[in-house]
Amino acid sequence: MDHLPTTQAAVTALRDLAMEYAREVEVTHDIGADQTSRRTAAGVGVTTDADGSLPHEAFVEFGGLPRVSVRLYPDDDALIDVEGVECPDVAREDVPAFLRSVFDELAYVRARRFPPGYFLIVPLPGDRAHKEYVSMIRLSPWLSGRVR
């Protein structure tokens, strides 16, 4: 698990990951308190936080299947979308491992009979896993192919 101290370091790691898995990648940067999504209370023309720092947020989209996008927040966490299933609050350091699990097809969907439901399970290093509820309506062909 790599330490990714900044959003730019995480973007670089994701570009390397895209090259490793031969996937196209598109990156959009939002820099400044008036541009980032979690700082909507920033005044007009205010670009720095109260401590003088310049917040940096990035949105990364990967080509191919499964459809994956990552929004890296300046607060050391990320929102990862896998085939329409949003996985919020993933630590920035866990993002490359999370994506490796998805791209290496280690991620799977667990079905529950009663009450009926589906969960996307993404294994992470250290015997951890990210678990996210998936509505039956949201099961894409890629997700359906990974039901256990």
Side-chain angles (χ1 to χ4, degrees):
M1 190 163 56
D2 298 328
H3 178 65
L4 304 171
T6 64
T7 300
Q8 188 58 46
V11 168
T12 302
L14 295 183
R15 285 184 193 270
D16 293 344
L17 198 66
M19 281 182 31
E20 181 180 333
Y21 287 94
R23 289 178 168 254
E24 292 182 17
V25 66
E26 186 176 323
V27 181
T28 306
H29 296 275
D30 294 322
I31 300 174
D34 59 340
Q35 299 294 315
T36 58
S37 63
R38 290 189 176 171
R39 288 173 173 78
T40 55
V44 175
V46 176
T47 57
T48 59
D49 283 341
D51 64 356
S53 64
L54 192 64
H56 177 195
E57 182 174 296
F59 182 72
V60 182
E61 283 184 292
F62 291 88
L65 285 177
R67 294 182 320 260
V68 176
S69 64
V70 179
R71 179 167 296 280
L72 296 161
Y73 295 109
D75 303 325
D76 297 336
D77 68 330
L79 168 69
I80 301 176
D81 186 294
V82 179
E83 286 288 319
V85 178
E86 290 187 348
C87 303
D89 302 324
V90 177
R92 185 187 297 158
E93 281 78 22
D94 288 337
V95 171
F98 186 104
L99 294 178
R100 281 183 196 283
S101 289
V102 170
F103 295 153
D104 286 338
E105 298 186 7
L106 299 174
Y108 61 94
V109 176
R110 188 181 73 204
R112 185 176 59 195
R113 290 189 192 271
F114 190 80
Y118 296 92
F119 292 89
L120 174 65
I121 311 290
V122 181
L124 296 172
D127 291 331
R128 298 176 300 136
H130 187 89
K131 178 176 155 181
E132 207 59 51
Y133 175 76
V134 181
S135 167
M136 189 155 83
I137 310 169
R138 308 280 279 163
L139 280 178
S140 69
W142 187 87
L143 289 168
S144 293
R146 274 129 194 97
V147 173
R148 291 187 185 173

